[in-house]
Amino acid sequence: MIDAHPLLTPSRLRRFACMMYEAVLLFGVVFLAGYLFDTLTQSKHALMLRHARQAWLFLAIGAYFVLCWRRKGQTLPMKTWNIQLVDRDGRPPSMLRLVARYVLAWPLVLVGAAIVGAASAATGWKSMDMFIVAAPFTIFVWSWFDRDGQFLHDRLLGTRLRDAPPRKA
């Protein structure tokens, strides 16, 4: 069933605020996943089994997003900011598209992190490392060039963020 609510794109400011809220919740997801990893592997420090830990956290964060998007196209921050993930026709995306969306969101973030790392190494200015926090926001770069203001991974996959229909009281 197609929703009659128009497919209006949320403003970049709302999407940014949603990302900030998402980062706070992801702290809990990463903490819990890290605790489980350390408990199950008996790791004593963060560098022990580093690549396995990174893969585990990638999967844990992915599970958080995909399962939330699968339910009603929203994570808790997306509900708060009235943002919903849908396909081109306004319907919930398939599970395969949700997984692909999560995976395709990472390349721009990694490019941003690489740029910050290279700039820090080239200048020798270690305080630039604090800008690594800005790397996830490289995802917005494409939205300035997209005709609908959508993210690159959404454009490629036929998904989109839209204003969520108002909640019923």
Side-chain angles (χ1 to χ4, degrees):
M1 180 173 149
I2 298 174
D3 192 352
H5 192 73
L7 297 177
L8 300 175
T9 303
S11 70
R12 284 180 194 86
L13 183 59
R14 277 184 42 221
R15 288 183 281 171
F16 176 79
C18 185
M19 279 182 76
M20 300 279 47
Y21 187 2
E22 204 74 72
V24 171
L25 292 183
L26 282 176
F27 177 82
V29 172
V30 168
F31 180 83
L32 179 62
Y35 178 77
L36 287 172
F37 182 85
D38 288 340
T39 301
L40 295 173
T41 63
Q42 297 297 304
S43 296
K44 301 297 182 207
H45 56 80
L47 294 178
M48 200 171 165
L49 303 170
R50 184 174 125 197
H51 297 296
R53 177 186 311 277
Q54 290 171 339
W56 171 253
L57 292 176
F58 178 79
L59 292 173
I61 293 168
Y64 163 75
F65 279 113
V66 170
L67 292 174
C68 286
W69 291 334
R70 184 68 182 150
R71 228 178 133 205
K72 291 192 179 179
Q74 296 174 304
T75 61
L76 179 60
M78 291 169 77
K79 287 178 189 176
T80 302
W81 287 97
N82 294 322
I83 297 172
Q84 186 176 28
L85 177 65
V86 295
D87 68 10
R88 283 187 186 109
D89 300 321
R91 293 187 302 254
S94 68
M95 182 63 92
L96 182 60
R97 272 194 181 163
L98 295 175
V99 171
R101 184 178 193 270
Y102 172 71
V103 171
L104 283 179
W106 279 98
L108 280 177
V109 173
L110 296 176
V111 166
I115 290 169
V116 169
S120 180
T123 62
W125 193 29
K126 289 295 180 192
S127 62
M128 276 190 80
D129 289 343
M130 69 180 205
F131 289 111
I132 201 72
V133 173
F137 301 105
T138 55
I139 209 166
F140 279 93
V141 172
W142 175 266
S143 74
W144 291 100
F145 301 104
D146 187 85
R147 69 180 177 270
D148 299 321
Q150 292 293 327
F151 295 131
L152 177 59
H153 53 281
D154 285 322
R155 177 64 62 197
L156 293 173
L157 291 169
T159 57
R160 61 181 295 124
L161 294 176
R162 71 159 187 184
D163 285 331
R167 295 187 197 135
K168 296 175 185 172

